[in-house]
Amino acid sequence: MKGREIIKSSEVWHYGKVGLDTLTTSIRFFYSHFTWLLVSLIPSIIRAFQMWSSETPFWLEVIVAISRVFLFLFMISIGAKVPMSELRNKLFWEKLTHSWSIHFTKNWPYGVVAQIIVFIVILFGLGNVVIMLISLLFLSILEWMGIQPSDPSALYDACVYFLKNMSVIPLSLVYMLNIFGLRRSN
């Protein structure tokens, strides 16, 4: 077929492996930094509190947003192996975006599409299902122990949002940075 590329099954497996490698790299990269886990506790605890309580102050939402921005910048700093103060430098961002552009272009379209598919299916899809199952298991264990929460639905939501903010959300940030080549930018 003239003008159309046909992808072979060996290439599909290769690019699928690229997506899975990005996932495993992201998991190792995030969970190997204890400080990131501590920073992730801030939005996790606040989100759990917001789900548990019917009314929460607006400033808690501001804290969640600031902690996520800080976490994202901290990830870039560690991934690019530069001090946080370097992130204020325009030249740093020009070099980084240029490097990411080259990496992204080199992996377009198959590598990037495979990474996005793995992200949607495994990290987002399977990750959320596992979080919901863990939350249901937690409620079941409480019931088995004879502990009856006043609002089981709110407790379930609090568990889900706590776990999401400790896993899926920060891993999504790392994953997207890895798609653009964060770990390869130096």
Side-chain angles (χ1 to χ4, degrees):
M1 290 184 203
K2 192 174 182 182
R4 292 177 79 172
E5 282 186 50
I6 298 177
I7 187 164
K8 299 174 189 166
S9 63
S10 63
E11 290 174 316
V12 170
W13 287 113
H14 167 73
Y15 290 115
K17 186 178 177 318
V18 167
L20 291 174
D21 286 345
T22 302
L23 177 63
T24 57
T25 299
S26 299
I27 291 169
R28 280 193 316 267
F29 186 57
F30 178 72
Y31 288 108
S32 67
H33 293 86
F34 183 72
T35 310
W36 293 355
L37 294 172
L38 289 177
V39 173
S40 294
L41 275 173
I42 297 167
S44 299
I45 291 169
I46 291 173
R47 283 289 187 241
F49 176 71
Q50 288 174 322
M51 295 299 110
W52 181 255
S53 179
S54 58
E55 290 187 30
T56 57
F58 177 73
W59 56 268
L60 288 177
E61 198 63 39
V62 173
I63 292 173
V64 168
I66 289 171
S67 64
R68 284 196 182 141
V69 168
F70 175 74
L71 181 63
F72 187 68
L73 293 174
F74 196 23
M75 289 173 178
I76 292 172
S77 170
I78 298 292
K81 299 177 181 125
V82 298
M84 287 284 283
S85 60
E86 184 71 19
L87 299 182
R88 289 185 249 147
N89 186 340
K90 183 180 176 187
L91 184 60
F92 164 77
W93 288 103
E94 288 172 355
K95 286 180 182 178
L96 189 66
T97 55
H98 178 72
S99 169
W100 287 0
S101 174
I102 291 169
H103 177 78
F104 191 78
T105 303
K106 189 167 49 172
N107 289 300
W108 181 258
Y110 301 118
V112 174
V113 171
Q115 290 171 322
I116 291 171
I117 290 170
V118 167
F119 171 80
I120 291 169
V121 173
I122 296 178
L123 183 59
F124 186 75
L126 185 61
N128 282 317
V129 168
V130 168
I131 286 171
M132 290 186 287
L133 291 174
I134 290 171
S135 299
L136 285 172
L137 180 64
F138 177 69
L139 286 176
S140 298
I141 290 171
L142 287 179
E143 286 179 15
W144 178 74
M145 294 171 59
I147 301 170
Q148 294 296 324
S150 59
D151 187 353
S153 176
L155 181 59
Y156 170 79
D157 290 342
C159 288
V160 166
Y161 278 82
F162 177 82
L163 293 172
K164 272 186 165 189
N165 279 274
M166 284 301 292
S167 59
V168 173
I169 293 172
L171 280 174
S172 297
L173 296 174
V174 173
Y175 195 87
M176 289 300 138
L177 290 172
N178 281 332
I179 286 177
F180 284 101
L182 176 71
R183 301 287 285 174
R184 297 160 194 91
S185 61
N186 288 341

